[in-house]
């Protein structure tokens, strides 16, 4: 339902987020589809609703620098840029803080996390009222253009999604995404803040991620050094050996594994996605020979889960 951002409706949206629901909210760039960043299952639900065939990392929206520091390792470049451009359409990619409570899916299993403080007053009220970060991609189905009006969001997601309506977004194009982890600051996605503006604020040149081989622009999310287990990954395991760790799915678990984690005993794909990265890390211990993974259906989020597991298996083979 499309709601005006009255105080009562903001409270309603905050309650929905606290209960693990999704809320679409306006920012100065485009509308976002948000979930509590500390609720892994709610973040998994974002991927389910977007219909993404793979896990792309998500921007964590925060009210400002202090909240960002709960999730990422802050540094001088981040500080310089935040002083000038926050709140506003600039997203900073930083390393996850040790003990960060941010969803692992928001990092797509990697060690970095993107943070941005939006300038829009409705986004700010929502973030302040909630008291934690909101993971949010643009509120469009996978492969569609970003929505700049509440009606666009409703067209894509239907009437059951709570959408806070603040009219048309002022900027209309997405935030600039900048990797500030190393000495060379790199634009991963051009956006409403220009390279010249960034260079002026930093006093140093800024690189732009250029077209790689074949002229195809690699998606920033794909360039991330994603977490790959150290152990070999064996897919479609229907039996398991005594020295293997088992990543199970559903209730029909083969016996005999050294240790077992079950993505979802009831076969729920959203639960499985929410558990994926944490369970892979849990099982990746040097005392086992391999991680055996039970067959997982490719329906719904299964496609993204399988994409991640297939890459984990292939990355290990390649090295
Ligand atoms: O203006 C915006 O940025 C909007 C509003 C809602 O804030 N959000 C948005 O999110 O455009 P999304 O998910 O549609 O695009 C986020 C971009 C993607 O290109 C993603 O790959 C990149 O940011 N990104 C997110 N986290 C990243 C990370 N840890 N490392 C590298 N790239 C990341
Ligand atoms: Mg998008």
């Amino acid at each position: 339902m499309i709601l005006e951002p009255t105080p009562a409706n903001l409270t309603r949206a905050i309650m929905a987020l606290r209960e693990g629901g999704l809320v679409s909210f306006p920012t100065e760039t485009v509308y976002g589809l948000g979930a509590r960043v500390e609720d892994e299952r709610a973040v998994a639900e974002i991927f389910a609703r977007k219909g993404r065939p793979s896990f792309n990392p998500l921007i964590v929206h925060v009210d400002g620098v202090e909240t960002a520091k709960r999730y990422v390792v802050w540094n001088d470049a981040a500080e310089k840029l935040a002083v000038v451009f926050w709140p506003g359409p600039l997203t900073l990619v930083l390393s996850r803080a040790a003990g960060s409570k941010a969803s692992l899916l928001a990092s797509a299993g990697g060690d970095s996390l993107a943070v941005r403080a939006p300038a829009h007053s409705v986004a700010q009220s929502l973030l302040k009222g909630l008291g934690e970060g909101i993971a949010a991609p643009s509120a469009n189905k996978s492969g569609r253009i970003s929505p700049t009006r509440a009606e666009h969001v409703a067209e894509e997601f239907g009437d059951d999604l709570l959408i806070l309506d603040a009219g048309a977004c002022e900027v209309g194009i997405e935030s600039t995404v900048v990797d500030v982890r190393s000495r060379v600051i790199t634009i991963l996605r051009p956006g409403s803040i220009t390279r010249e503006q960034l260079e002026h604020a930093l006093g140093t040149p800024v690189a732009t991620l250029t077209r790689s081989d074949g002229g195809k622009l690699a998606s920033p999310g794909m360039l991330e050094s994603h977490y790959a287990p150290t152990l070999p990954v064996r897919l479609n395991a229907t039996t398991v050996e005594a020295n293997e760790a088992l990543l199970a799915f559903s209730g029909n678990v083969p016996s005999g594994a050294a240790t077992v984690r079950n993505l979802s005993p009831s076969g729920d794909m959203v639960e499985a996605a929410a558990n994926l990265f944490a369970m892979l890390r849990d099982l990746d211990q040097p005392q086992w020979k391999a991680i055996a993974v039970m067959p997982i259906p490719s329906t719904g989020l299964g496609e993204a889960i399988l994409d991640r597991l297939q890459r984990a298996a292939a990355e290990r083979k390649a090295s």
Side-chain angles (χ1 to χ4, degrees):
M1 71 242 62
I2 295 181
L3 300 176
E4 281 191 33
T6 58
N9 286 336
L10 275 164
T11 302
R12 192 166 158 186
I14 291 161
M15 295 300 289
L17 290 169
R18 289 214 175 110
E19 284 161 15
L22 304 187
V23 167
S24 178
F25 62 98
T27 79
E28 67 278 25
T29 59
V30 299
Y31 278 75
L33 180 66
R36 271 187 62 212
V37 74
E38 296 177 27
D39 183 339
E40 196 75 60
R41 198 194 149 95
V43 175
E45 194 72 48
I46 292 178
F47 289 97
R49 291 293 292 258
K50 288 218 24 143
R52 282 209 84 101
S54 62
F55 296 117
N56 237 23
L58 301 178
I59 297 170
V60 178
H61 297 72
V62 291
D63 58 350
V65 173
E66 286 319 305
T67 307
K69 286 177 177 168
R70 283 164 42 189
Y71 303 118
V72 294
V73 181
W74 202 245
N75 65 23
D76 288 349
E79 181 66 28
K80 271 190 190 162
L81 292 173
V83 163
V84 179
F85 299 109
W86 276 16
L90 180 68
T91 296
L92 303 172
V93 172
L94 288 153
S95 299
R96 286 178 69 94
S100 174
K101 285 191 187 146
S103 145
L104 294 172
L105 277 172
S107 295
D111 297 322
S112 68
L113 194 67
V115 287
R116 147 167 136 83
H120 200 290
S121 64
V122 173
Q124 279 288 332
S125 303
L126 195 64
L127 289 160
K128 289 220 156 71
L130 182 67
E132 71 176 73
I134 296 179
S138 49
N140 50 280
K141 290 266 169 77
S142 180
R144 313 262 328 232
I145 55 169
S146 299
T148 54
R149 306 190 68 103
E151 292 78 15
H152 301 164
V153 182
E155 279 162 23
E156 303 236 343
F157 293 99
D159 224 28
D160 57 331
L161 178 67
L162 197 164
I163 305 164
L164 292 170
D165 181 6
C169 299
E170 215 174 289
V171 178
I173 57 166
E174 296 92 338
S175 64
T176 305
V177 180
V178 197
D179 188 338
V180 293
R181 283 174 297 170
S182 63
R183 286 243 304 260
V184 182
I185 308 291
T186 307
I187 296 175
L188 301 180
R189 179 182 70 180
S192 47
I193 292 187
T194 64
R195 184 157 59 84
E196 289 73 17
Q197 284 176 288
L198 296 171
E199 289 178 338
H200 186 74
L202 288 164
T204 53
V206 168
T208 301
L209 197 72
T210 45
R211 280 161 196 281
S212 57
D213 35 308
K216 192 169 168 259
L217 189 66
S219 136
M222 303 297 280
L223 292 182
E224 269 306 287
S225 57
H226 285 294
Y227 167 75
T230 308
L231 291 179
V233 174
R234 185 166 74 82
L235 300 177
N236 283 315
T238 47
T239 59
V240 64
E241 289 167 33
N243 53 6
E244 286 183 321
L246 179 65
L247 188 63
F249 177 84
S250 85
N252 204 4
V253 181
S255 59
T259 181
V260 181
R261 293 285 182 286
N262 198 328
L263 289 170
S264 173
S266 66
D268 175 325
M269 300 316 288
V270 175
E271 182 184 20
N275 284 329
L276 177 66
F277 293 120
M279 288 185 174
L280 269 179
R281 279 177 198 262
D282 266 7
L283 294 176
D284 192 21
Q285 306 294 335
Q287 65 266 40
W288 320 127
K289 191 189 82 179
I291 299 173
V293 183
M294 280 178 67
I296 293 168
S298 61
T299 51
L301 277 179
E303 201 181 339
I305 294 171
L306 285 167
D307 168 82
R308 190 66 206 91
L309 288 168
Q310 274 151 5
R311 276 195 277 158
E315 274 161 35
R316 182 58 181 70
K317 252 181 236 145
S319 64

